[in-house]
Amino acid sequence: MARLNLWRWAVLGAAALYFLVPLAASVVFTVDVPGQGVTFDAYGRILSTDGFVTGLLLSLELAAATIAVVLLLMVPAMVALRLGVPRLRPVVEIVCALPLVVPPIAFVAGIGTVLKWGPEQLSRTPLFQTFVALQNPDFPIVLVLAYVVMALPFVYRALDAGLRAIDVPTLVEAARSCGANWPQALVRAVLPNLRGALLNASFLTLALVLGEFTVAQLLGFQPFAVWIVNVSGSQAQLSVAVSVLSLLVTWLLLLALAGVGGRTRPTSRG
């Protein structure tokens, strides 16, 4: 037993060093200015830097839209899959895992080809304006569609784990026997028992959207991750300071998610 505890602490210590040493080095780089000593000017300049607020708000808007779309798409589909055709579960799992197999560079190349082909072939049809609206720089809907596809593997795993932990057929039958229709049964009986899974799926999607760079950069948009890379060429300390703060905020969101999920579990059992 003592050896097991020693091995456990050794693994935890190695993991802590793996994560904390680079983070500490990044913090030192942002506050140690040659010739000036320790200063926090890099953190003070974050809010006043051009493009920071715009890029962050754009990423948050894209994240909110992506979370809404992917949950509206996946939750009813997975509940229906579990109730009606469970034999198709392997097929749906493979389809949802495809974004992990296709490289992002190939994925964005396909999107770019479609976006170029559409206006050329549909310039005299009403669909031309649709392609223009998809690429609106103020809110690029094409990024939302791309992020929905990229988030499918993570959302599927989170929701699948949540659905496996509850008896969906019994919940739906109980709601239907009380006079609820199918949408009411889903909203009032199933979703309250999937709070933890929904929070996990939302957080994973949020982390994906905030950190995604390849698709947004190659399509010519500038959300938060692209802004960090662009500003690093001229203001390295500022970009690292923003990265450190975004990492800390992500950790805080994860802790808050764990706390909310822990409080909801006793309720779902009841």
Side-chain angles (χ1 to χ4, degrees):
M1 193 66 177
R3 290 183 177 179
L4 181 60
N5 290 333
L6 181 61
W7 175 251
R8 182 182 303 172
W9 283 108
V11 172
L12 290 176
L17 290 176
Y18 180 81
F19 288 106
L20 294 180
V21 170
L23 180 61
S26 300
V27 173
V28 171
F29 175 76
T30 59
V31 300
D32 186 16
V33 180
Q36 299 182 16
V38 178
T39 177
F40 293 91
D41 290 342
Y43 294 93
R45 298 198 314 268
I46 291 177
L47 291 177
S48 60
T49 304
D50 293 338
F52 170 76
V53 176
T54 304
L56 181 59
L57 290 178
L58 177 58
S59 291
L60 292 177
E61 292 173 357
L62 292 173
T66 304
I67 291 171
V69 172
V70 75
L71 290 182
L72 288 174
L73 176 67
M74 290 298 296
V75 172
M78 294 195 65
V79 172
L81 183 69
R82 194 169 186 85
L83 291 175
V85 282
R87 294 182 180 180
L88 292 180
R89 181 179 173 276
V91 178
V92 177
E93 183 176 1
I94 292 174
V95 172
C96 291
L98 286 179
L100 297 177
V101 180
V102 180
I105 189 68
F107 180 55
V108 72
I111 295 175
T113 301
V114 174
L115 292 179
K116 291 180 180 178
W117 172 87
E120 294 177 357
Q121 302 296 324
L122 305 173
S123 58
R124 297 182 180 180
T125 66
L127 291 177
F128 175 78
Q129 295 299 326
T130 302
F131 278 87
V132 174
L134 288 176
Q135 304 176 71
N136 183 3
D138 295 331
F139 186 77
I141 301 176
V142 63
L143 285 185
V144 175
L145 301 178
Y147 293 157
V148 167
V149 175
M150 297 173 67
L152 284 179
F154 312 105
V155 175
Y156 175 84
R157 287 298 179 185
L159 294 180
D160 184 62
L163 289 172
R164 285 173 176 268
I166 61 177
D167 190 354
V168 179
T170 302
L171 289 173
V172 173
E173 286 181 12
R176 294 281 291 169
S177 64
C178 293
N181 54 32
W182 284 106
Q184 290 174 338
L186 177 63
V187 173
R188 297 184 178 181
V190 178
L191 292 186
N193 292 278
L194 287 178
R195 289 178 183 174
L198 294 174
L199 288 173
N200 290 333
S202 300
F203 178 79
L204 291 173
T205 305
L206 174 65
L208 170 70
V209 175
L210 290 180
E212 200 286 319
F213 170 79
T214 304
V215 175
Q217 171 70 14
L218 293 180
L219 290 181
F221 303 107
Q222 191 173 357
F224 189 57
V226 178
W227 176 83
I228 291 178
V229 175
N230 291 339
V231 79
S232 64
S234 57
Q235 304 181 60
Q237 281 188 321
L238 177 65
S239 65
V240 175
V242 173
S243 300
V244 170
L245 285 180
S246 62
L247 181 60
L248 293 177
V249 171
T250 303
W251 283 358
L252 291 176
L253 289 174
L254 181 59
L255 292 175
L257 175 64
V260 172
R263 289 196 297 270
T264 56
R265 284 171 190 166
T267 303
S268 61
R269 288 197 193 102

